[in-house]
């Protein structure tokens, strides 16, 4: 119910009463309060914390004067008042009452009830409410409950009450967050003049148009010689070229001009009565009267009447009528070219030496803003806007297919196009570009991207069965692209790699133990296809748990059999005598697909060693399932490293890390390089990847002092939450968003990679507190990438730990597993550990850990 307010706050910090309604408020100055709704909170009882207060509501006020605020006890001790943000929550019994009322009411009644909803929860407003439509029904249904005020001291909001405020927000401190071009069609820069600071949204502009600095043009079509001044707003306007207009009307004008600091918008009227072009000055207040120096187009009314040579009676029918812009019959209902020329005359950007425009204006049917407010066809307004945006989306999609490398989010464009009746025709037209589109840009356009676009178009057109087939090709392409970038595949070893004596092989045995990894920041930037196309950077470290390296594999040759025997730490085993049967893709239910994938990638299945002996492979991972510590990839690294050692092949950490990246793709779990890097390379390291053929990995160990290591080990708690989640389920959602070129996701992952570099600098400087701040920002970004990477239990755990911590996050993809809690100091770490160990609320385990340092 926020209306013209955009709130900016952390909803997870709201403290809402269980069985009551609650309205969110924020302290504000009295000048702001005088123009908005004000909540009077009870001075008795309530909860008053550092960041918020929670009190019963005593009264509600609407645009009160200062004297009314004083009399109503609405002014706080610091001289401010509580602003009604319009955010309302109802829980428990209050919510049940609302639902019961809704079920017993018609749609028309509900619309009326919502107008005065909050007053029903405030006893002081009941007398007023009884005289309102359906007021008694509201009091009877909801009056037994009370409403609380949740006052957030960290809350901020942007008010969009006036056109000037809109431009102020877009050009002010938030300007860096503003996208200045979105869903628009623009000509080449030499054919028009559009200022760099102008904001063009959902608009089609042709050659010859000029838009000044800091102006906003939204949902419009501008063709021909049109000049939009600086700091102006144009909304919903369709201005065509002047060609063909009557000379008597044009009066010598060759273009339409909207002066600086003006607003222009166009609206349809009910009953198909035409459309009206409306305009005024940016700072005009429609309700300020002529007597109080009211203005039109920035000029006092006295000057306006004199310059246009018109009388009061032309604008206001009655002498008793309040004379202001709101009631002035200014805006004519006539043909578009006539409205444009009359508009320029009224705004002062065109002359009328012979009085023809003034005569045309006087004779026309005219409406005031007050009349217009009741006569706008809002349904048609929304329909026109929707169709306009769909047409733009369709044109952009065609251009993307015709001229580009599928760099836009075609999925989002398809969602826009779905609003069009011609959606199926458009999708069929776009699908006709396949498969020749990929052939045209072979070697430049990733095949996975091409398949993803095709799948989105098929789903939009309703061909779901074919879309499912193409989806399989998407993931297969990512796997093959990863293998190509790593330049890894089944390979025949050289004969020199074999050692034999009289045809007999010496028994070989490999024993590999590895640590797990915890990641501070940068995850997702290591994951294909991101890492195949864009730079990545991750800051993580290798740790032992409970005094041991928890992940390992033992591989040995045997002459007892010629096949492969695999056993895991749960005692499950399988024997494979037919090595040709080991081939991908593997079923998700296959318990041994990790080892089988490693056998394929290392090339040992074609190695001579298996022609005269078999293999026994045993694996273990002494960490909880779904830990988020990279166990799957690190276990794959242990197996791959062991197989290379048995083959006497290149078992370097770099080679193993590359091989595991392919193993993850063959397994179908996806995954990037950070897990195996975290486990294979000791200590803390900042690893960067650079796309290319092959993919380049640069592992930079952190040269940490003993003091830094000691402090980090004292302050960082590694906690198993008991919440389990499979990372590949999260991974598929995030990778799909990336292949679709989701702009928000791309900017978030870029920031994560940037934070990894900042985090490395912080640790190099011994600033562990800064690392905590980075962890918090990384956790926020992870929740943007996947809203389900947290849950109620994790949120409550972090809220409980917050007073002790400078930072916290879940490791890996989130959703459960292990959490990192970075305490403010060693003393806070001890208190937090004791609190968790003794807690009956959180069934978690705090692990002893140490950084695994280089030998």
């Amino acid at each position: 119910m926020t209306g013209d307010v955009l709130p900016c706050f952390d909803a997870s910090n709201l403290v809402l009463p269980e069985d009551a309604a609650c309205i969110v408020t924020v302290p504000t100055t009295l000048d702001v309060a005088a123009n908005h709704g004000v909540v009077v909170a009870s001075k008795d009882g309530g909860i008053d914390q550092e960041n918020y207060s929670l009190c019963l509501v005593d009264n509600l006020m609407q645009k009160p004067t200062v004297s009314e605020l004083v009399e109503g006890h609405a002014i706080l001790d610091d001289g401010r008042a509580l602003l009604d943000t319009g955010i309302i929550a109802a829980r428990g019994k209050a919510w049940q009452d609302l639902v019961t009322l809704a079920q017993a009411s018609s749609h028309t009644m509900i619309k009326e009830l919502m107008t005065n909803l909050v007053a029903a929860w405030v006893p002081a407003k009941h007398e007023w409410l009884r005289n309102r439509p359906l007021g008694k029904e509201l009091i009877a249904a909801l009056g037994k409950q009370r409403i609380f005020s949740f006052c957030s001291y960290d809350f901020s909001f942007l008010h969009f009450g006036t056109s000037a405020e809109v431009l102020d927000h877009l050009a002010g401190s938030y300007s860096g967050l503003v996208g200045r071009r979105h869903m628009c069609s623009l000509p080449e820069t030499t054919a028009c003049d559009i200022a760099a600071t102008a904001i063009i949204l959902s608009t089609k502009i042709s050659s010859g148009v000029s838009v000044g600095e800091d102006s906003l043009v939204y949902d419009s079509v501008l063709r021909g010689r049109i000049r939009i001044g600086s700091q102006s707003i144009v909304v919903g306007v369709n201005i065509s070229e002047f060609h063909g207009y009557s000379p008597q009307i044009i009066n010598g004008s060759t273009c339409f001009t909207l002066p600086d600091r003006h607003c222009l918008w166009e609206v349809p009227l009910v009953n198909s009565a035409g459309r009206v072009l409306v305009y005024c000055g940016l700072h005009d207040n429609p309700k300020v009267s002529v007597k109080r120096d009211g203005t039109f187009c920035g000029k006092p009314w006295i000057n306006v009447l004199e310059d246009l040579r018109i009388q009061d009676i032309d604008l206001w029918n009655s002498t008793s009528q309040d004379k202001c812009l709101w009631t002035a019959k200014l805006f004519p209902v006539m043909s578009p070219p006539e409205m444009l020329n009359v508009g320029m005359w009224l705004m002062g950007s065109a002359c009328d030496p012979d009085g023809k425009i003034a005569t045309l204006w006087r004779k026309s049917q005219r409406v005031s803003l007050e009349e217009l407010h009741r006569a706008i066809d809002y349904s048609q307004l929304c329909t026109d806007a929707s169709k306009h945006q769909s047409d733009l989306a369709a044109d952009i999609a065609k251009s993307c297919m015709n001229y580009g490398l599928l760099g836009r989010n075609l999925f989002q464009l398809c969602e826009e196009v779905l609003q069009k009746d011609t959606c199926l025709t458009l999708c069929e037209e776009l699908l006709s570009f396949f498969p020749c589109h990929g052939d045209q840009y072979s070697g430049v356009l990733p095949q996975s991207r091409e398949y993803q676009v095709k799948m989105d178009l098929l789903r939009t057109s309703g061909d779901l069965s074919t879309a499912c087939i193409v989806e399989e090709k998407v993931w297969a392409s990512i796997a093959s692209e990863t293998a190509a970038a790593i330049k890894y595949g089944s390979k025949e070893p050289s004969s020199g790699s074999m050692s034999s004596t009289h045809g007999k092989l010496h028994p070989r045995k490999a024993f590999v133990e590895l640590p797990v990894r915890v990641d501070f920041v940068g995850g997702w930037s290591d994951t294909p296809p991101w890492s195949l196309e864009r730079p990545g950077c991750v800051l993580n470290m290798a740790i032992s748990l409970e005094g041991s390296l928890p992940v390992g594999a033992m591989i040995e040759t045997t002459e007892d059999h010629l096949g492969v025997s695999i056993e895991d730490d749960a005692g499950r085993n399988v024997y494979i005598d037919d090595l040709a049967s080991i081939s991908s893709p593997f079923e998700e239910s296959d318990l041994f697909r990790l080892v089988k994938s490693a056998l394929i990638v290392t090339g040992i299945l074609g190695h001579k060693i298996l022609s005269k002996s078999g293999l026994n492979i045993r694996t273990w991972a002494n960490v909880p399932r779904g830990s988020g510590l990279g166990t799957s990839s690190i276990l794959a690294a242990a197996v791959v490293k062991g197989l290379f050692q048995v083959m006497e092949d290149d078992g370097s950490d770099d080679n193993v890390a590359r091989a595991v990246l392919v193993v993850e793709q063959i397994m179908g779990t996806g995954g990037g390089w950070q897990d195996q890097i975290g486990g294979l390379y000791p200590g803390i390291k900042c690893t960067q990847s650079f796309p290319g053929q092959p993919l380049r990995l640069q592992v930079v160990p952190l040269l940490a002092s003993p003091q830094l290591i000691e402090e980090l080990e004292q302050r960082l708690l590694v906690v198993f939450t008991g919440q389990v989640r499979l990372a590949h389920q999260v991974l598929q959602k995030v990778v799909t968003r990336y292949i679709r070129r989701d702009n928000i996701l791309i900017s978030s992952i870029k920031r994560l990679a940037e934070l990894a570099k900042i985090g490395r600098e912080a640790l190099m400087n011994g600033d562990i507190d800064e690392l905590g701040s980075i962890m918090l920002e990384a956790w926020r970004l992870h929740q943007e990438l996947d809203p389900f990477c947290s849950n109620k239990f994790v949120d409550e755990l972090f809220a409980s730990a917050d007073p002790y911590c400078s930072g916290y996050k879940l490791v890996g993809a989130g959703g459960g597993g292990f959490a990192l809690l970075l305490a403010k100091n060693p003393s806070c770490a001890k208190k937090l550990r004791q609190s968790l160990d003794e807690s009956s609320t959180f069934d978690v385990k705090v692990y002893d850990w140490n950084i695994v340092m280089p030998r």
Side-chain angles (χ1 to χ4, degrees):
M1 299 177 69
T2 53
D4 58 4
V5 172
L6 176 65
C8 306
F9 69 105
D10 185 351
S12 66
N13 289 335
L14 291 181
V15 179
L16 304 175
E18 289 291 338
D19 280 300
C22 189
I23 186 166
V24 178
T25 60
V26 60
T28 190
T29 56
L30 299 188
D31 59 329
V32 174
N35 291 304
H36 298 87
V38 171
V39 172
V40 183
S42 173
K43 301 288 194 297
D44 302 324
I47 302 172
D48 197 356
Q49 298 291 332
E50 181 181 353
N51 297 322
Y52 73 91
S53 63
L54 186 67
C55 307
L56 279 170
V57 173
D58 280 348
N59 207 348
L60 303 171
M61 309 179 80
Q62 186 63 31
K63 296 185 178 180
T65 63
V66 174
S67 59
E68 289 172 336
L69 288 169
V70 173
E71 294 171 7
H73 305 287
I75 300 179
L76 304 175
D77 293 339
D78 61 3
R80 296 184 294 174
L82 293 181
L83 182 74
D84 171 8
T85 65
I87 302 174
I88 300 163
R91 302 181 70 189
K93 189 65 173 65
W95 172 246
Q96 293 172 13
D97 290 347
L98 265 180
V99 173
T100 302
L101 177 63
Q103 290 176 329
S105 306
S106 66
H107 181 69
T108 304
M109 281 183 64
I110 291 174
K111 288 176 66 176
E112 187 67 40
L113 292 169
M114 291 298 283
T115 306
N116 302 308
L117 175 65
V118 179
W121 287 313
V122 182
K125 301 295 293 184
H126 284 184
E127 184 177 351
W128 169 85
L129 185 56
R130 286 190 181 93
N131 298 318
R132 306 287 298 174
L134 303 175
K136 294 178 181 178
E137 289 82 353
L138 262 178
I139 295 171
L142 308 177
K144 296 177 183 178
Q145 304 297 327
R146 293 291 304 274
I147 190 168
F148 287 79
S149 161
F150 175 85
C151 176
S152 172
Y153 304 134
D154 296 332
F155 185 102
S156 64
F157 69 94
L158 304 182
H159 182 240
F160 292 91
T162 67
S163 301
E165 281 182 307
V166 172
L167 291 186
D168 286 345
H169 293 320
L170 295 177
S173 57
Y174 295 93
S175 60
L177 302 176
V178 176
R180 310 216 162 245
R181 305 288 186 271
H182 178 69
M183 197 70 79
C184 55
S185 174
L186 304 175
E188 59 271 20
T189 54
T190 56
C192 61
D193 180 24
I194 300 177
T197 56
I199 300 169
I200 314 296
L201 308 174
S202 299
T203 291
K204 183 178 290 188
I205 293 179
S206 66
S207 301
V209 174
S210 169
V211 182
E213 293 183 354
D214 298 322
S215 289
L216 168 64
V217 183
Y218 173 67
D219 200 33
S220 298
V221 176
L222 304 179
R223 295 192 183 95
R225 296 292 307 279
I226 298 169
R227 296 173 184 166
I228 307 298
S230 299
Q231 299 178 59
S232 295
I233 296 180
V234 177
V235 177
V237 172
N238 188 336
I239 303 179
S240 298
E241 299 188 36
F242 282 86
H243 301 313
Y245 291 177
S246 168
Q248 295 91 334
I249 301 302
I250 295 303
N251 223 16
S253 297
T254 58
C255 67
F256 173 81
T257 302
L258 182 71
D260 293 347
R261 297 175 298 281
H262 274 65
C263 302
L264 176 72
W265 66 103
E266 185 179 349
V267 293
L269 301 179
V270 293
N271 301 323
S272 301
R275 302 179 69 87
V276 175
L277 207 61
V278 188
Y279 27 82
C280 65
L282 182 66
H283 299 286
D284 291 342
N285 186 331
K287 300 295 181 70
V288 177
S289 67
V290 174
K291 295 179 180 178
R292 293 172 53 205
D293 295 325
T295 60
F296 172 61
C297 293
K299 295 189 294 186
W301 275 107
I302 296 176
N303 296 44
V304 172
L305 298 176
E306 182 178 337
D307 292 346
L308 297 177
R309 290 176 291 179
I310 58 177
Q311 307 296 320
D312 286 17
I313 194 66
D314 293 321
L315 299 171
W316 299 285
N317 297 331
S318 170
T319 54
S320 61
Q321 188 179 25
D322 190 17
K323 296 179 180 179
C324 59
L325 176 55
W326 184 248
T327 57
K329 286 185 173 293
L330 268 171
F331 308 105
V333 182
M334 50 178 60
S335 69
E338 291 174 328
M339 284 193 294
L340 289 172
N341 282 276
V342 169
M344 285 197 292
W345 169 66
L346 287 171
M347 289 184 286
S349 58
C351 299
D352 182 29
D354 51 13
K356 289 183 178 180
I357 296 181
T359 301
L360 178 68
W361 175 78
R362 286 190 180 91
K363 292 180 178 179
S364 67
Q365 173 194 351
R366 286 174 278 122
V367 294
S368 64
L369 288 176
E370 181 181 34
E371 293 168 329
L372 195 62
H373 191 67
R374 297 191 298 265
I376 294 175
D377 189 335
Y378 290 101
S379 175
Q380 187 63 45
L381 190 70
C382 293
T383 299
D384 292 346
S386 176
K387 183 179 183 304
H388 171 71
Q389 292 176 19
S390 294
D391 289 340
L392 271 173
D395 290 344
I396 292 171
K398 290 178 184 177
S399 297
C400 181
M401 297 291 290
N402 272 318
Y403 313 120
L405 293 173
L406 306 183
R408 283 185 177 267
N409 187 342
L410 266 292
F411 176 77
Q412 186 181 46
L413 289 173
C414 287
E415 291 291 304
E416 296 283 349
V417 174
L418 276 173
Q419 302 173 36
K420 282 192 60 164
D421 296 333
T422 57
C423 170
L424 291 178
T425 304
L426 176 68
C427 287
E428 289 173 1
E429 181 181 348
L430 296 178
L431 282 168
S432 67
F433 287 94
F434 296 98
C436 59
H437 192 280
D439 297 337
Q440 184 179 355
Y441 301 108
S442 177
V444 179
L445 177 66
Q447 195 172 50
S448 58
R449 171 63 181 152
E450 181 186 351
Y451 281 134
Q452 181 66 50
V453 171
K454 187 173 183 178
M455 185 187 75
D456 289 336
L457 291 173
L458 287 167
R459 283 187 171 164
T460 303
S461 63
D463 190 351
L464 300 183
S465 58
T466 308
C468 289
I469 296 172
V470 176
E471 184 176 15
E472 294 177 1
K473 294 182 179 180
V474 171
W475 299 105
S477 297
I478 293 174
S480 63
E481 288 160 10
T482 304
I486 305 301
K487 289 197 172 175
Y488 233 106
S490 299
K491 53 186 182 180
E492 288 290 340
S494 62
S495 59
S497 67
M498 298 298 302
S499 60
S500 61
T501 303
H502 303 295
K504 291 187 177 181
L505 294 170
H506 294 300
R508 298 177 188 174
K509 184 176 181 179
F511 184 85
V512 181
E513 279 189 312
L514 293 175
V516 288
R517 70 96 187 97
V518 293
D519 59 306
F520 293 113
V521 63
W524 293 118
S525 72
D526 65 306
T527 305
W530 176 284
S531 58
L532 308 182
E533 302 170 11
R534 302 169 189 261
C537 188
V538 178
L539 180 67
N540 65 17
M541 69 179 177
I543 66 169
S544 63
L545 292 178
E546 304 294 337
S548 65
L549 302 179
V551 180
M554 186 181 72
I555 303 170
E556 60 182 345
T557 59
T558 178
E559 295 183 356
D560 295 341
H561 57 78
L562 294 179
V564 176
S565 175
I566 309 171
E567 182 181 356
D568 65 15
D569 51 0
R572 298 170 298 196
N573 59 77
V574 64
Y575 173 71
I576 307 168
D577 58 354
D578 180 11
L579 300 185
S581 68
I582 303 177
S583 62
S584 61
F586 298 107
E587 295 290 335
E588 190 172 337
S589 58
D590 188 339
L591 300 174
F592 302 100
R593 58 179 172 151
L594 183 150
V595 176
K596 292 177 181 179
S597 300
L599 291 169
I600 293 173
V601 170
T602 57
I604 197 171
L605 292 176
H607 199 282
K608 293 179 181 179
I609 197 171
L610 292 185
S611 64
K612 297 182 179 181
S613 65
L615 282 180
N616 290 330
I617 302 174
R618 185 168 65 86
T619 64
W620 62 90
N622 298 320
V623 292
R625 182 173 179 268
S627 65
L629 297 174
T631 311
S632 173
S633 297
I634 295 172
L635 182 58
V639 175
V640 168
K641 194 174 186 71
L643 289 171
F644 280 152
Q645 289 178 4
V646 168
M647 297 164 62
E648 296 182 351
D649 206 336
D650 181 5
S652 65
D653 291 338
D654 179 69
N655 200 42
V656 172
R658 294 172 184 277
V660 172
L661 197 57
V662 184
V663 169
E664 292 274 4
Q665 303 303 322
I666 292 177
M667 285 174 61
T669 56
W673 47 255
Q674 78 131 321
D675 294 343
Q676 55 268 33
I677 291 291
L680 286 166
Y681 290 82
I684 308 172
K685 53 268 176 187
C686 184
T687 307
Q688 291 183 259
S689 66
F690 304 93
Q693 297 283 349
L695 175 73
R696 290 188 299 120
L697 295 175
Q698 184 181 48
V699 183
V700 181
L702 188 76
L703 302 178
S705 66
Q707 294 86 347
L708 176 67
I709 298 298
E710 181 181 8
E711 183 180 355
L712 191 58
E713 289 182 340
Q714 289 176 344
R715 290 177 58 179
L716 185 66
L717 270 62
V718 178
V719 182
F720 182 58
T721 65
Q723 310 286 301
V724 177
R725 186 180 185 189
L726 296 179
H728 74 90
Q729 296 174 345
V730 186
L731 186 140
Q732 286 186 345
K733 294 178 182 177
V734 173
V735 169
T736 298
R737 285 180 63 189
Y738 171 68
I739 303 175
R740 286 174 172 168
R741 299 302 187 259
D742 185 313
N743 287 329
I744 295 178
L745 176 133
I746 289 173
S747 63
S748 295
I749 298 182
K750 280 182 178 178
R751 178 59 179 167
L752 286 169
E754 180 185 2
L755 286 172
K757 298 174 185 177
I758 298 172
R760 177 183 179 276
E761 291 300 316
L763 284 175
M764 289 292 287
N765 293 320
D767 192 347
I768 294 180
D769 289 335
E770 174 67 12
L771 179 65
S773 300
I774 290 169
M775 289 167 62
L776 288 175
E777 184 175 353
W779 179 233
R780 179 186 64 78
L781 290 168
H782 274 258
Q783 291 176 89
E784 192 289 310
L785 294 172
D786 174 30
F788 299 101
C789 74
S790 188
N791 54 48
K792 184 178 180 182
F793 178 88
V794 172
D795 290 342
E796 291 175 351
L797 174 65
F798 286 167
S800 174
D802 185 73
Y804 302 96
C805 292
S806 58
Y808 41 77
K809 67 182 287 288
L810 292 181
V811 297
F818 277 76
L820 298 181
L821 307 177
L822 184 60
K824 296 175 180 177
N825 51 56
S827 175
C828 284
K830 290 180 181 178
K831 292 178 182 177
L832 177 56
R833 178 160 190 165
Q834 182 179 358
S835 173
L836 293 174
D837 288 340
E838 298 173 354
S839 174
S840 59
T841 304
F842 302 111
D843 184 16
V844 300
K845 179 180 178 180
V846 183
Y847 275 70
D848 291 326
W849 69 277
N850 293 100
I851 300 177
V852 176
M853 299 302 295
R855 295 175 183 176

